[in-house]
Structure formats: structure tokens, C-alpha cells
Amino acid sequence: MTKEAEAILELSAQIRQNLETYVADEQLRTRLARMTDRREQIFETMAETDALVLELKQENINLSQQLTKLTGEVRKNVEDIASVSRQNMIVMIAMVLAVSFLLLVVLTTIISRSMQVSIRGFKHALSEMTPGNHTVRAQEDGKDEFSVFGQFVNGFLDKLYGILKAVRKKQISLLTK
């Protein structure tokens, strides 16, 4: 109980003790004594309730402090987890980029070598055709553009050599006549 509540109860006790001095009528004095007792009981109940309210307020303050502390810990944990997740995501993206780059380099190398082989074949075929070798043919086996180009070149050469044969036959027949 607080000092103020104790002081009020002391004043109430003094009123009860001095009732005989201030009130002469016995009935009125009894009635006032009962009222004073009743007020003291109400006041004591109110004082107990106040004490309980103060206790609950203190408990609420303690719980609020604990909640604030726990919230801070949860926030820190969430930030730590988010940071780790961010770092993991960056590592994964870097790995995907590295693998993609490696795959790009490997595919570029394979395609480049395939093209180099086809170009060398064309170069060889053209260098053999230049001095007059009519038996040389470009590569047609494959599924790339060079194979298609080789088919067209070979078709052109077949027609050209056919025309040259026809011209030679005419030439020989003209010379023999």
C-alpha cells in the first residue's frame, strides 16, 4: 500500500475515534461509524485494486521490453538470413554466368572448327580445280550450309565439265573433218 493510502486510512481512523466527541446522537454515531467502516473497506479494496493495476502496469512494461528485445533479435536474424540469401543468389548467378560463358566458348570452338574444316575442304577443292583437275569435288556430306554450297558448286562443275566435253567433241570432230 502506498504512503498516500496509509495516510487516508489514518485519517479515517481518527474520524472514527473522534465520532463520540463530535456526534452526540447514538444512532447517528452508529450510522456514521458504519459508513466510515464501509468507506474504509471500499478504500482498502480500491487500494488493493490500485496495487494490482500498478503491478500489472509494471508487468506490462517488462513484457514490452522483452518484446522489444525479441523483436530486435528477430529483425537481426531476418536481416542475417536475407544477407546470406542475397550472397547465395549472387554466387548462383555468377555460377550460371560462368557455366553459360564456358558453354558459349565450347560451342563457338566446335562451330569454328567445323567451319574451318569445311573452308579448308573448299579451298583444297578450288585449288585443285584451278589448274584443270576436273575430278575434284567439293564436300557434300554434312548438314551445314557448306554442304549445301558444295552441292551447288558440284552441280555447276558437272554442267561446266559437260559443256567442256561437248566443246572438245565438237572441236575434235571439226578438226577431223
Side-chain angles (χ1 to χ4, degrees), residues 119-177:
I119 289 171
R120 277 192 218 118
F122 265 93
K123 183 179 176 185
H124 175 70
L126 291 174
S127 66
E128 289 292 318
M129 288 178 214
T130 303
N133 185 353
H134 301 290
T135 60
V136 174
R137 295 287 181 253
Q139 269 187 316
E140 296 181 4
D141 57 339
K143 297 179 181 178
D144 60 358
E145 291 80 8
F146 289 104
S147 299
V148 173
F149 185 63
Q151 290 171 356
F152 285 117
V153 167
N154 290 340
F156 171 75
L157 289 175
D158 287 342
K159 286 181 184 176
L160 181 64
Y161 294 145
I163 291 171
L164 287 175
K165 276 185 185 178
V167 168
R168 279 193 193 145
K169 278 186 185 179
K170 284 277 185 189
Q171 186 180 24
I172 289 174
S173 72
L174 286 174
L175 287 174
T176 54
K177 280 185 185 183

Side-chain angles (χ1 to χ4, degrees), residues 4-123:
E4 293 86 9
E6 288 175 5
I8 291 172
L9 285 177
E10 282 180 30
L11 289 173
S12 181
Q14 285 177 4
I15 289 172
R16 190 176 319 113
Q17 287 173 359
N18 293 321
L19 271 178
E20 287 182 23
T21 308
Y22 296 112
V23 179
D25 183 11
E26 183 64 32
Q27 254 184 347
L28 184 58
R29 202 177 21 229
T30 307
R31 191 170 154 214
L32 286 173
R34 272 187 269 151
M35 286 174 62
T36 303
D37 288 342
R38 177 77 179 125
R39 283 192 181 138
E40 283 179 1
Q41 289 173 354
I42 291 171
F43 184 77
E44 286 175 357
T45 304
M46 194 171 67
E48 289 172 4
T49 304
D50 268 357
L52 181 62
V53 166
L54 290 174
E55 185 180 317
L56 289 174
K57 280 184 178 180
Q58 187 58 45
E59 186 178 337
N60 189 20
I61 289 169
N62 291 340
L63 288 174
S64 177
Q65 289 171 346
Q66 288 175 0
L67 182 62
T68 301
K69 181 181 174 186
L70 288 174
T71 303
E73 290 173 5
V74 167
R75 180 182 297 125
K76 185 183 179 317
N77 288 342
V78 167
E79 288 171 354
D80 290 346
I81 290 170
S83 176
V84 168
S85 295
R86 219 175 292 121
Q87 289 171 352
N88 288 343
M89 184 67 79
I90 289 170
V91 168
M92 288 179 67
I93 289 171
M95 287 176 58
V96 167
L97 287 174
V99 168
S100 298
F101 180 74
L102 245 149
L103 188 62
L104 181 68
V105 167
V106 167
L107 288 175
T108 302
T109 303
I110 291 171
I111 291 170
S112 173
R113 285 186 182 165
S114 171
M115 288 175 66
Q116 286 177 355
V117 167
S118 297
I119 289 171
R120 277 192 218 118
F122 265 93
K123 183 179 176 185

